[in-house]
Amino acid sequence: MLSLLLGALSLAAAALFALLLYLRRKHSRSPFPGLPSPPDPQWLVGHVEDRTVGLDASLKQICADHANASGVTAMWYFGTPTVTVLRSEDARVILQSTPARMNMPGFVKRQLEMITGRKNILLLEGKEWKFHRQAIMRALNKDTMDKAKGVAVDMSLKLCDSLAKAGKQQQQTITIELLPTMQMLTLDIFGAAAFSFAFNNCLNMRRHPVADAIQVLKDEYERRMNSPVLGYFFNTPTEKNREHARARKKVRDFIEGIVEERMAKANREGELGDDVLGHLLRARAREDLKEKDGRKREQDQLVEETMADVILTLIFAGQDTTSLALTYALLEVARNPGVERLCLEEIDKVWTETDQTSVPDPSDLAYCAAVIQEALRLFPPLPGMVRTLTKPVTVGTKGVDACEIPVGTYTYMPFWLIQRDGRNYERPLEFLPERWAERDGVGPWRERSGGAKENKRTDADAGSAEEKKDGDDRNDAQEAAEVAPGNRDAFFSFSAGGRSCVGERLARLELTLVFA
């Protein structure tokens, strides 16, 4: 018996060793002959970000350092043949040609499912994805936008009052952690605007228990993405898995309870409410009533569980986008006194001219919006995006190194690098809101015209970017105004194409008003 056991173990060890050699040899070769590939891939998953060296450095290692002259690289992404691109033209044509197919690696899909559920819009495809996207777009209508404006200003003022009160009680300058504070604020805004719930994070200056659970899930997502093998297993009896399960149950029970309570109220009073949740429930009700040939359409309905998945997706995607953008915008303003001065001038003018009972029009805050835009360019909340090609796409420079990528290929677009690449932006590493806004003399700021054509740069410009300089006090903003208009075709912080961020308009509105 012992000899049989030893023999079985020997065979298993030999099989594992053979698999290791096969994967190592497979991942050491470029998956697409003719395209360069980064060296030293991980033996199991291939080329993934090394998060121990920082996002910028890790992305450069696998997407830029070994790219060809047009910024194209071939790699193994979680063991799958993948092409990465750095030119904005290549990224945009990929995003616009693959609107409804994500086909994420199984490990990444598993992580998202364990946070937002199987019916979240990030994972859905085809007709089901289209239905949910249209439902969310109908929910984010003019009424909900108008409500969100008031909520954003009201919650921001509550935060300011709480900070002033804390400073008065302590009789000294207080220190806060900026990102956690912005996360509390943006969750307060989302709760009030989306489903009329008061988390009161800013009022109490501490996180609501559900907010604590949401943060646990976010932290666990990051930790597990750094451990592709161990992070896949959620059912093993470890303390981290138990903590994740408790947090997930708390968040889902909370959201499903709100949905159930709203539907019960609608049955009693016939009113679903005028917030995002109310409009989503109306979309479900309309779909329930649609019939074709006497039968319900073959489409999953927005039942309570699915509704919870939708709301959770909006929370996790929306809160990160807004809280990170606000954090980086405030940090950059603190590092650039000239920008701070111009912001305060515009804010004082707009608020002075606004009736005390109304909310400023975000379109009047063009320079503040430009600060947000520039923060999103330099620090996109989503550093990259994966797409599976549904039709062939040609990438690279025509007549130089252009190549056709076949159907079914994974493509990875590192937005973080694309929006910092000299091919796409002039002086790409400098924080220059003036690339997005302009004015005549000392008149009001307005959105700056210009785009890809005005910003066309050669591949040789990619390595000519100046290092970013902090603390420049631009007294007259003349130097900054000389920068070329921002290349809007190279801006992907809300993605692009059919899979672009459905909440972009709401996010921009909230960001501008909260910042101001």
Side-chain angles (χ1 to χ4, degrees):
M1 180 63 71
L2 181 60
S3 61
L4 289 176
L5 179 60
L6 291 175
L9 290 175
S10 299
L11 286 174
L16 182 61
F17 182 71
L19 176 63
L20 172 60
L21 289 179
Y22 166 75
L23 291 175
R24 186 180 295 276
R25 177 172 295 183
K26 171 186 172 183
H27 293 158
S28 66
R29 299 193 300 265
S30 173
F32 296 96
L35 288 179
S37 183
D40 304 322
Q42 293 185 14
W43 70 271
L44 179 61
V45 295
H47 302 94
V48 293
E49 295 97 330
D50 179 3
R51 304 197 178 199
T52 64
V53 298
L55 179 62
D56 190 75
S58 65
L59 285 175
K60 285 179 178 177
Q61 286 176 1
I62 61 175
C63 300
D65 291 349
H66 304 278
N68 65 16
S70 294
V72 182
T73 306
M75 69 174 187
W76 298 94
Y77 183 69
F78 285 95
T80 303
T82 305
V83 170
T84 73
V85 297
L86 292 177
R87 295 196 320 161
S88 62
E89 304 97 306
D90 294 335
R92 188 160 292 275
V93 73
I94 290 171
L95 290 168
Q96 291 177 339
S97 66
T98 56
R101 190 177 180 193
M102 296 284 280
N103 199 16
M104 289 183 179
F107 172 75
V108 180
K109 186 176 181 179
R110 170 78 165 158
Q111 300 303 315
L112 291 174
E113 285 179 350
M114 292 303 293
I115 294 179
T116 55
R118 292 183 174 86
K119 294 293 184 179
N120 77 71
I121 196 171
L122 301 176
L123 301 178
L124 296 178
E125 297 181 5
K127 291 182 179 180
E128 196 173 13
W129 161 74
K130 186 176 181 180
F131 169 70
H132 286 277
R133 181 177 176 86
Q134 290 175 343
I136 295 173
M137 290 177 68
R138 285 194 293 267
L140 299 177
N141 54 34
K142 184 179 183 301
D143 291 339
T144 54
M145 291 291 183
D146 289 342
K147 179 178 180 178
K149 287 196 295 186
V151 168
V153 172
D154 182 51
M155 295 300 172
S156 299
L157 293 175
K158 284 184 178 180
L159 174 60
C160 293
D161 289 343
S162 295
L163 292 174
K165 182 179 179 181
K168 186 176 181 179
Q169 289 176 341
Q170 297 180 25
Q171 296 184 341
Q172 62 182 5
T173 301
I174 62 172
T175 302
I176 63 169
E177 291 187 67
L178 192 53
L179 178 57
T181 303
M182 292 301 101
Q183 288 172 333
M184 290 196 301
L185 173 59
T186 53
L187 187 59
D188 277 350
I189 294 171
F190 184 86
F195 43 83
S196 303
F197 182 83
F199 283 104
N200 288 330
N201 294 309
C202 293
L203 182 65
N204 300 320
M205 285 308 294
R206 63 175 181 272
R207 287 198 300 234
H208 186 279
V210 172
D212 280 331
I214 289 172
Q215 193 59 48
V216 168
L217 294 179
K218 288 181 180 179
D219 293 343
E220 273 297 281
Y221 175 80
E222 288 295 324
R223 186 185 72 84
R224 291 168 189 269
M225 288 296 290
N226 289 332
S227 305
V229 178
L230 297 178
Y232 187 85
F233 301 99
F234 287 85
N235 297 323
T236 53
T238 65
E239 181 54 38
K240 285 294 184 182
N241 281 345
R242 285 190 286 268
E243 183 183 26
H244 185 280
R246 288 193 297 268
R248 186 171 186 268
K249 184 177 187 304
K250 178 179 283 292
V251 174
R252 291 200 67 88
D253 286 351
F254 170 75
I255 298 296
E256 289 176 5
I258 285 179
V259 174
E260 183 179 358
E261 181 181 344
R262 182 68 62 86
M263 294 184 69
K265 182 178 179 181
N267 291 332
R268 294 193 310 268
E269 304 174 11
E271 179 55 46
L272 288 169
D274 60 354
D275 53 16
V276 174
L277 177 57
H279 288 289
L280 286 173
L281 289 170
R282 287 190 188 90
R284 192 206 72 165
R286 283 194 296 268
E287 191 63 24
D288 285 343
L289 294 174
K290 287 182 179 179
E291 295 186 4
K292 187 175 182 180
D293 297 329
R295 294 177 300 174
K296 293 288 180 69
R297 298 177 70 181
E298 293 182 0
Q299 222 172 22
D300 286 344
Q301 305 303 315
L302 284 172
V303 295
E304 286 78 3
E305 181 180 353
T306 305
M307 187 70 68
D309 292 353
V310 173
I311 295 293
L312 283 170
T313 304
L314 294 175
I315 288 177
F316 281 97
Q319 189 196 21
D320 268 355
T321 298
T322 51
S323 59
L324 283 169
L326 286 168
T327 298
Y328 283 120
L330 292 170
L331 287 173
E332 288 297 336
V333 167
R335 290 195 289 212
N336 293 273
V339 173
E340 180 182 21
R341 179 178 59 79
L342 293 173
C343 285
L344 292 174
E345 286 179 2
E346 181 178 71
I347 292 168
D348 288 343
K349 183 176 186 301
V350 170
W351 277 100
T352 300
E353 296 176 353
T354 300
D355 186 279
Q356 296 297 315
T357 61
S358 61
V359 175
D361 188 335
S363 63
D364 293 333
L365 295 161
Y367 191 77
C368 290
V371 170
I372 294 295
Q373 178 88 352
E374 186 70 346
L376 285 167
R377 181 188 70 83
L378 279 172
F379 309 100
L382 183 65
M385 175 66 71
V386 175
R387 284 287 189 273
T388 303
L389 295 185
T390 55
K391 60 183 179 181
V393 168
T394 299
V395 298
T397 305
K398 186 177 181 180
V400 180
D401 53 11
C403 60
E404 183 177 272
I405 310 301
V407 173
T409 301
Y410 266 30
T411 53
Y412 181 66
M413 290 137 290
F415 298 154
W416 182 279
L417 297 183
I418 290 172
Q419 295 180 177
R420 292 165 168 249
D421 193 283
R423 278 172 286 242
N424 305 320
Y425 289 96
E426 183 179 317
R427 296 157 67 183
L429 301 183
E430 294 183 60
F431 184 81
L432 299 172
E434 289 81 4
R435 71 175 88 237
W436 307 108
E438 61 185 356
R439 65 176 175 176
D440 299 321
V442 294
W445 290 90
R446 62 180 179 271
E447 183 178 308
R448 191 172 180 181
S449 60
K453 291 183 179 179
E454 289 80 354
N455 287 271
K456 187 66 176 177
R457 310 191 74 204
T458 65
D459 292 334
D461 294 327
S464 64
E466 299 178 17
E467 287 301 314
K468 185 177 177 183
K469 299 177 182 178
D470 297 330
D472 292 340
D473 190 355
R474 300 192 296 277
N475 291 325
D476 58 5
Q478 182 62 39
E479 179 185 350
E482 292 175 356
V483 70
N487 183 354
R488 298 184 186 277
D489 285 345
F491 185 84
F492 297 103
S493 292
F494 294 100
S495 191
R499 284 270 182 175
S500 61
C501 175
V502 70
E504 178 179 354
R505 286 178 57 237
L506 178 62
R508 288 185 180 278
L509 177 151
E510 177 186 333
L511 285 168
T512 302
L513 289 175
V514 171
F515 177 79

